[in-house]
Amino acid sequence: MKDKAKEILNYLEGKTPIKTGGQKRVYVVNSKKYGKIAVKIGKFDSEKVLERAKRETETQTKIDSPYFAKVYEFLATDREYIIVEEFIEGETLTKRLTEYSEVKDALDLLNHLIEGLKLLWPRIVHRDLKPDNIIIKSNGNPVIIDLGIARLLDHTSLTLSDQGSGPCTPAYAAIEQLTNRKTDIDWRTDQFALGIITSQLLMKGQHPFDPKYIGNRNSYADNIMSGIYKIEVPKVVSELIKKMLGKEPHQRFRKPEPLIEKLNKISEVL
Amino acid sequence: MALEIYHQLGHNAVWNFDSIRDDNTGDGVIISPRHIKRSKIEAYPVNTRNRAIFDPQFFLPREAFKKLTTYEFFPANIANEFETNGFIESHANDCAEACVNFQIENGFRFITIPTRYLPGMPSDFSANLEKIFIRPHITALNSKTNHNQVLLEIIVNQQMINDAEYQRDLLNWLTGLDGIDGIYLILERPSNPKQFQDENTIYNYLRFINAIKLNDMFLVMGYLGLESLVYSIASPDIVTIGTFENTRVFQIDSFAESETDRRGPRPRVYFSKLIQSIDHGLLDAFSRRLDDYNELLDHNGYQVEMFQPEFKWHFTKSAIYKHHLLEFSTQLRNIAELDGRQRFERVTEMINIANDNFRRISEAGIPLDIDSGGNHLNIWLTAMNEFAQDQGWR
Ligand SMILES: Nc1ncnc2c1ncn2[C@@H]1O[C@H](COP(=O)(O)OP(=O)(O)O)[C@@H](O)[C@H]1O
Ligand SMILES: [Mg+2]
């Protein structure tokens, strides 16, 4: 496994990644075996973490769904891991955030995301849902990337104390992540992030916990932890989003089904 | 959904069944294996069992007292070790399987996942219960093709409920568990004074109940006394009533062997217009000094029986309990169809009337002690008002 990993690293040396700066370097490669692939390389800091990640990848490999990139291989050297997966043609949701301000469009996208995530829930929690980790294909369907693996490998990256993780991640983290209450993290943590994303869709990209938008001097995380947010969305959906943004997990939807039901009900009256 | 009334069975369950049959005082029963042998339960009519909830009472799992020995799945009957890895590895699953099978075979309305009694605020409360009972029971249930809805039994105490973080963690845990449809909730509280007089706990408990209900979980509240009127405003699905005090207040002592030789309590008569049970020794003074005593009384056949001159007051007289069950269940029935806000308004009226009545008793020169008096009423009202404020009802 290590030899093969080294081979890949050698091959990529000198090539320009399509993305650096996050947790990993991402390269696009045309492979004979798999066609167009994304090769993601990142550092890890312990064997145990690597083991867990491997198991997690195996689970992801089993999910055969258009909502997720297929994982082809998982490799590692002593210090770095490599994920080889299907390359998704399209753009991240970050770039298209302002295109969904029609209620119907926003709720359609939410519906799709839930349909995909239901394949993970409740056993697996994505833990890092945000527009950067959603790719919109040319047919408009979303693909969810960066699934759990990154979370497990870079296990410090989602804690608030780690300022190096970039300003965006805490902005989508629920209180149980921000305060590192590990046993409280479940699918409802993803639901919270979806609540933020949906508000952004409806508010032309505006983040509901953005201190500037709210007009206070807190950080995003402070606002999330105090449950201070502002949403200006049509009334039919504001109740739904309020529940998704419940400060504590027990204040959100307990199961995905009632959330989906509520969504469908709203869609009927639109 | 209308509020349902269940009888929390204990000693002399036959009185409860009489009362349900003759006076329509309940919609079902919660079975107490400590007081009722297995064979007796299996002989109950099918429709009694179909509406019953079985409380496995694994509260003190190390020792099977009394009739608990007839349930082969009670932990102490399976192994003489408990909570060791040995028990968990080799017995927890058998125990769960047999406990689940017993409940399915009897066709009880719900399957109850048992709990144990843990005092204080243990940091491993949820982990411990998951390990020894919850996961094994869920595993057993998953192997069944179909079964009724599942309730998780838990016992909370005042400390847990009044500690904001502990309560929050409990809620996040309970609502996040997979494979359960509801909670069979028990609050441990002191039995002295007889009416619960802690407004903080009552208020915080109302919030706790409300949070569970906002998660659309079925909520059965066990071991309740008159304070069920107060809790009704947070819309639980089932509240319980009972005969002897140990079915109306949860105290772990009554599940330890020593309880057998307790003295019987002094008989008390329930007055719905006081929302209190009055020591029978005060009744003569009431009748001599209260002009409208007759109006204060609840009139029914049991009352007539109790007020015969030859009636011998003793805690073993069924009329005392049947009177209580009849009059109190009627009060609950009167608010059963109302929503939370309407219940709040109605119970407030009831309390105001009771306060007036206590005032008249006091003016008549009859001071009452804490167990016969009306001290609890304003405490209840305070907690209710605060909860109502949160709900935007006032
Ligand atoms: N399978 C893929 N197909 C297309 N683009 C991808 C794929 N995986 C990642 N990317 C691009 O690379 C970026 C970073 O990848 P990601 O797995 O999210 O790593 P990070 O942990 O650094 O966020 C994504 O935001 C996306 O733009
Ligand atoms: Mg990413």
Side-chain angles (χ1 to χ4, degrees):
Chain A
M1 178 165 134
K2 277 186 187 166
D3 289 347
K4 192 165 179 193
K6 279 185 186 136
E7 211 175 288
I8 293 175
L9 289 177
N10 283 338
Y11 172 81
L12 292 173
E13 210 174 286
K15 296 211 163 40
T16 325
I18 58 161
K19 194 187 165 269
T20 49
Q23 299 303 319
K24 348 183 168 73
R25 321 193 289 280
V26 183
Y27 298 87
V28 185
V29 176
N30 275 307
S31 126
K32 270 193 210 123
K33 193 166 169 194
Y34 303 117
K36 198 167 179 184
I37 52 175
V39 180
K40 305 183 178 185
I41 298 165
K43 290 187 172 32
F44 63 88
D45 53 15
S46 88
E47 280 297 318
K48 214 171 97 193
V49 173
L50 185 69
E51 269 314 304
R52 277 174 61 195
K54 219 186 295 175
R55 258 180 282 137
E56 191 82 27
T57 327
E58 277 158 17
T59 323
Q60 197 193 333
T61 314
K62 284 183 207 135
I63 305 169
D64 186 19
S65 155
Y67 288 110
F68 297 93
K70 284 184 194 19
V71 176
Y72 298 125
E73 294 195 35
F74 182 82
L75 303 157
T77 65
D78 297 336
R79 294 169 42 248
E80 288 183 312
Y81 64 88
I82 302 172
I83 300 162
V84 179
E85 68 181 31
E86 172 190 11
F87 180 84
I88 309 296
E89 299 280 2
E91 278 180 313
T92 64
L93 182 58
T94 312
K95 290 198 184 126
R96 307 190 43 181
L97 216 43
T98 55
E99 295 170 27
Y100 295 85
S101 52
E102 287 293 320
V103 176
K104 191 189 172 314
D105 296 338
L107 295 193
D108 269 358
L109 183 61
L110 175 61
N111 224 331
H112 273 115
L113 291 170
I114 293 173
E115 209 172 293
L117 288 163
K118 266 192 75 182
L119 299 167
L120 308 182
W121 297 335
R123 220 164 58 82
I124 304 169
V125 183
H126 188 292
R127 290 180 167 95
D128 196 13
L129 289 174
K130 55 182 176 181
D132 264 343
N133 286 338
I134 296 163
I135 298 177
I136 306 295
K137 293 199 285 196
S138 51
N139 68 3
N141 283 346
V143 175
I144 299 152
I145 60 162
D146 205 356
L147 197 159
I149 304 166
R151 159 74 185 110
L152 285 166
L153 285 166
D154 314 306
H155 63 294
T156 50
S157 72
L158 290 191
T159 59
L160 186 59
S161 56
D162 179 21
Q163 294 301 337
S165 67
C168 274
T169 297
Y172 293 88
I175 192 166
E176 61 272 21
Q177 282 177 302
L178 293 170
T179 54
N180 211 12
R181 281 166 12 211
K182 291 201 183 78
T183 54
D184 279 353
I185 293 175
D186 60 30
W187 83 275
R188 293 174 296 185
T189 307
D190 284 348
Q191 179 188 160
F192 183 85
L194 288 178
I196 297 183
I197 295 170
T198 311
S199 323
Q200 284 185 295
L201 294 177
L202 289 162
M203 303 193 296
K204 297 224 170 229
Q206 183 56 60
H207 192 292
F209 292 90
D210 184 341
K212 272 186 255 134
Y213 180 51
I214 292 162
N216 66 20
R217 288 149 160 266
N218 295 346
S219 65
Y220 280 87
D222 287 341
N223 281 334
I224 289 172
M225 287 197 287
S226 343
I228 301 171
Y229 61 87
K230 187 169 145 190
I231 44 173
E232 287 172 44
V233 305
K235 215 172 170 184
V236 274
V237 276
S238 64
E239 296 234 318
L240 176 95
I241 292 184
K242 271 185 191 155
K243 183 128 184 165
M244 295 174 77
L245 290 180
K247 186 174 146 190
E248 287 294 331
H250 75 78
Q251 294 167 317
R252 304 173 205 146
F253 287 94
R254 178 173 170 245
K255 303 247 166 149
E257 291 74 20
L259 165 57
I260 295 166
E261 240 167 69
K262 194 102 189 240
L263 255 178
N264 290 340
K265 258 203 201 118
I266 296 171
S267 303
E268 272 167 30
V269 302
L270 286 178
Chain B
M1 272 290 288
L3 182 68
E4 291 183 77
I5 304 169
Y6 266 50
H7 283 232
Q8 189 93 44
L9 300 185
H11 291 291
N12 291 345
V14 64
W15 295 345
N16 299 91
F17 287 115
D18 289 349
S19 172
I20 292 171
R21 185 195 57 226
D22 300 338
D23 300 325
N24 184 31
T25 58
D27 304 297
V29 298
I30 299 187
I31 293 169
S32 168
R34 176 182 163 81
H35 300 101
I36 309 166
K37 280 193 303 206
R38 179 179 174 140
S39 55
K40 197 155 181 182
I41 288 168
E42 287 168 334
Y44 283 167
V46 173
N47 74 341
T48 299
R49 280 181 284 153
N50 287 168
R51 285 181 299 155
I53 297 170
F54 179 75
D55 181 345
Q57 294 176 335
F58 287 10
F59 309 144
L60 299 171
R62 280 171 229 274
E63 284 160 291
F65 292 124
K66 294 191 168 180
K67 293 175 176 137
L68 286 171
T69 54
T70 65
Y71 298 83
E72 87 288 356
F73 52 82
F74 190 87
N77 299 330
I78 286 198
N80 44 25
E81 56 179 353
F82 174 73
E83 212 187 352
T84 58
N85 284 334
F87 174 84
I88 290 154
E89 275 157 32
S90 39
H91 302 297
N93 285 328
D94 298 343
C95 163
E97 175 75 19
C99 182
V100 162
N101 286 344
F102 172 74
Q103 298 188 60
I104 292 177
E105 281 157 20
N106 280 285
F108 298 135
R109 179 171 171 193
F110 296 96
I111 311 288
T112 309
I113 298 180
T115 198
R116 66 185 295 202
Y117 172 75
L118 292 163
M121 297 199 287
S123 58
D124 64 342
F125 185 77
S126 55
N128 189 287
L129 294 177
E130 276 193 48
K131 187 172 63 179
I132 60 177
F133 298 139
I134 301 173
R135 266 188 243 122
H137 276 77
I138 300 278
T139 307
L141 285 162
N142 285 343
S143 72
K144 313 293 171 198
T145 41
N146 69 348
H147 56 74
N148 290 348
Q149 290 204 319
V150 179
L151 298 178
L152 172 67
E153 178 174 25
I154 61 157
I155 303 167
V156 296
N157 59 42
Q158 290 173 265
Q159 274 176 289
M160 293 174 176
I161 291 303
N162 290 329
D163 185 287
E165 279 187 16
Y166 204 93
Q167 182 182 139
R168 173 202 72 196
D169 291 348
L170 268 180
L171 284 171
N172 285 337
W173 171 63
L174 287 172
T175 57
L177 282 170
D178 227 37
I180 63 167
D181 304 286
I183 310 282
Y184 168 31
L185 181 63
I186 296 168
L187 174 68
E188 180 193 31
R189 67 152 176 103
S191 57
N192 186 10
K194 290 187 184 300
Q195 304 311 331
F196 194 22
Q197 308 205 359
D198 177 340
E199 59 222 16
N200 288 326
T201 306
I202 295 174
Y203 168 66
N204 287 324
Y205 203 42
L206 282 170
R207 292 172 52 118
F208 187 71
I209 299 162
N210 185 51
I212 292 172
K213 282 313 297 170
L214 286 176
N215 275 275
D216 288 326
M217 297 175 90
F218 198 90
L219 182 61
V220 180
M221 299 184 69
Y223 293 92
L224 294 184
L226 303 176
E227 73 281 7
S228 57
L229 281 173
V230 179
Y231 299 148
S232 77
I233 71 172
S235 299
D237 297 280
I238 293 179
V239 291
T240 46
I241 59 177
T243 54
F244 294 104
E245 188 173 277
N246 63 10
T247 63
R248 288 187 250 140
V249 182
F250 181 86
Q251 292 223 288
I252 195 61
D253 288 356
S254 40
F255 292 88
E257 188 76 299
S258 60
E259 190 239 4
T260 15
D261 27 68
R262 274 202 199 162
R263 275 188 310 120
R266 276 178 67 80
R268 304 179 153 267
V269 178
Y270 183 63
F271 280 72
S272 70
K273 292 172 197 126
L274 294 173
I275 320 180
Q276 179 61 295
S277 288
I278 305 293
D279 189 308
H280 78 97
L282 289 162
L283 298 182
D284 286 344
F286 272 29
S287 80
R288 281 194 304 269
R289 311 210 49 160
L290 296 174
D291 296 337
D292 48 2
Y293 181 44
N294 206 38
E295 270 167 52
L296 196 63
L297 284 172
D298 296 296
H299 297 278
N300 62 52
Y302 306 114
Q303 181 265 328
V304 172
E305 183 186 336
M306 287 189 286
F307 283 62
Q308 297 293 326
E310 66 273 17
F311 187 77
K312 296 228 163 27
W313 289 97
H314 190 262
F315 77 95
T316 54
K317 290 303 239 335
S318 69
I320 300 167
Y321 305 97
K322 289 180 175 176
H323 170 79
H324 167 87
L325 294 171
L326 173 56
E327 293 304 331
F328 188 54
S329 68
T330 303
Q331 287 180 295
L332 289 169
R333 295 274 192 222
N334 286 341
I335 56 167
E337 304 287 338
L338 307 180
D339 66 22
R341 184 192 190 128
Q342 293 166 327
R343 285 178 194 168
F344 163 69
E345 286 161 2
R346 189 69 67 81
V347 175
T348 301
E349 276 168 33
M350 290 162 63
I351 288 177
N352 289 337
I353 290 168
N355 269 329
D356 281 346
N357 289 329
F358 273 115
R359 199 170 306 123
R360 295 213 318 277
I361 294 169
S362 168
E363 283 162 9
I366 311 173
L368 298 169
D369 71 8
I370 192 152
D371 283 332
S372 291
N375 206 43
H376 58 297
L377 296 171
N378 284 336
I379 290 172
W380 290 1
L381 207 49
T382 306
M384 285 167 55
N385 283 341
E386 200 172 347
F387 179 77
Q389 203 113 33
D390 294 348
Q391 303 299 310
W393 295 343
R394 48 174 279 137

